[in-house]
């Protein structure tokens, strides 16, 4: 078995080990930060100002399998006049046979303030009537190497055919 190995393998091995140690050492020196962010998420359905559209409607009267795409608005505060700080690109799939529970992926892109140009992404299960916890799975810019979690809850829901939903988000982000 050993004789079938490429002759260059023993030469490459020490370099590989060296690289691994160097990465481990530099990660050790680089202190990770934890940042708590509070922001508000505005989602509009229906009408000319919709930020979310339903792109797949399942056959029959089912909601299971429906898919929505959104580019929702992030603001500093809970009033729709408060400062715009970014957008949230979103994909949601109604993926529960029993009750409306969504499989969701969101990318929060900040366009103002300290995190202008940076982003982080979350993925997980969402039931709108409960506090929602989802994992932070990555980020860019100031949020490179991000991980952590968000807790969000619905604080406002108005209308039926034209709806405004506002959610308060707390994000706890570990990043470089
Ligand atoms: C859409 O937005 C505009 C500008 O903010 C506002 O004047 C209008 O009332 C909104 N329309 C709806 C249907 O919400
Ligand atoms: C959908 O629901 C309505 C009202 O409950 C019913 O009349 C209709 O037959 C249903 N349609 C299908 C395709 O199941
Ligand atoms: C955010 O950053 C972009 C690119 O650097 C810049 O053009 C823009 O003016 C910044 N926005 C704010 C509100 O600072």
């Amino acid at each position: 078995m050993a004789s079938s190995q490429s002759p260059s393998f023993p030469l490459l091995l020490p370099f590989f080990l060296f690289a691994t140690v160097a990465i481990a050492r530099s990660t050790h020196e680089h202190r990770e930060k934890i940042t708590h962010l509070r922001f508000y998420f505005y989602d509009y359905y229906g009408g000319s100002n919709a930020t979310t559209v339903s792109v797949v409607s399942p056959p029959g009267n089912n909601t299971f399998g429906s898919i929505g795409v959104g580019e929702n608005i992030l603001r500093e505060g809970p009033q729709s006049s408060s400062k715009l700080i970014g957008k949230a690109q979103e994909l949601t799939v109604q993926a529960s046979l029993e009750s409306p529970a969504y499989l969701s992926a969101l990318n929060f892109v900040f366009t103002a303030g300290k995190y202008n140009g940076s982003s982080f992404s979350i993925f997980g299960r969402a039931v709108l009537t409960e506090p929602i916890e989802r994992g932070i799975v990555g980020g860019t810019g100031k949020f490179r190497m991000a991980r952590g979690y968000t807790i969000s809850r619905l604080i406002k829901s108005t209308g039926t055919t034209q709806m405004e939903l506002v959610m308060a988000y707390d994000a706890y982000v570990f990043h470089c």
Side-chain angles (χ1 to χ4, degrees):
M1 289 294 273
S3 65
S4 69
Q5 275 175 350
S6 149
S8 64
F9 180 70
L11 289 173
L12 286 175
L13 188 60
F15 290 104
F16 174 72
L17 286 176
F18 174 77
T20 309
V21 170
I23 289 163
R25 192 177 292 143
S26 66
T27 339
H28 220 74
E29 284 164 6
H30 199 122
R31 302 245 356 226
E32 229 178 13
K33 293 187 268 294
I34 180 160
T35 300
H36 171 211
L37 296 169
R38 159 63 71 89
F39 55 86
Y40 295 82
F41 174 96
Y42 293 75
D43 189 347
Y44 300 93
Y45 292 90
S48 51
N49 295 344
T51 58
T52 295
V53 292
S54 179
V55 294
V56 173
S57 297
N61 288 334
N62 297 321
T63 58
F64 179 66
S66 61
I67 300 178
V69 173
E71 188 182 54
N72 298 312
I73 297 162
L74 304 178
R75 294 188 186 279
E76 222 168 47
Q79 285 84 36
S80 56
S81 56
S82 65
K83 189 180 164 193
L84 176 74
I85 55 165
K87 294 287 181 81
Q89 278 112 22
E90 176 181 20
L91 176 69
T92 54
V93 180
Q94 208 294 67
S96 172
L97 285 166
E98 283 138 32
S99 60
Y102 295 89
L103 179 71
S104 61
L106 289 94
N107 194 33
F108 297 104
V109 183
F110 295 92
T111 55
K114 190 176 168 189
Y115 300 104
N116 184 9
S118 299
S119 72
F120 65 84
S121 308
I122 66 170
F123 186 80
R125 182 176 191 264
V127 176
L128 276 181
T129 51
E130 300 169 359
I132 304 167
E133 178 173 348
R134 283 171 284 192
I136 295 171
V137 294
T140 67
K142 291 207 164 98
F143 295 120
R144 267 185 200 157
M145 312 281 278
R147 62 202 162 76
Y149 64 97
T150 63
I151 303 282
S152 52
R153 57 183 209 287
L154 191 63
I155 58 165
K156 184 180 174 191
S157 168
T158 58
T160 46
T161 52
Q162 289 187 13
M163 288 175 74
E164 180 191 37
L165 300 182
V166 183
M167 302 191 76
Y169 267 80
D170 283 293
Y172 298 88
V173 199
F174 278 103
H175 57 103
C176 299

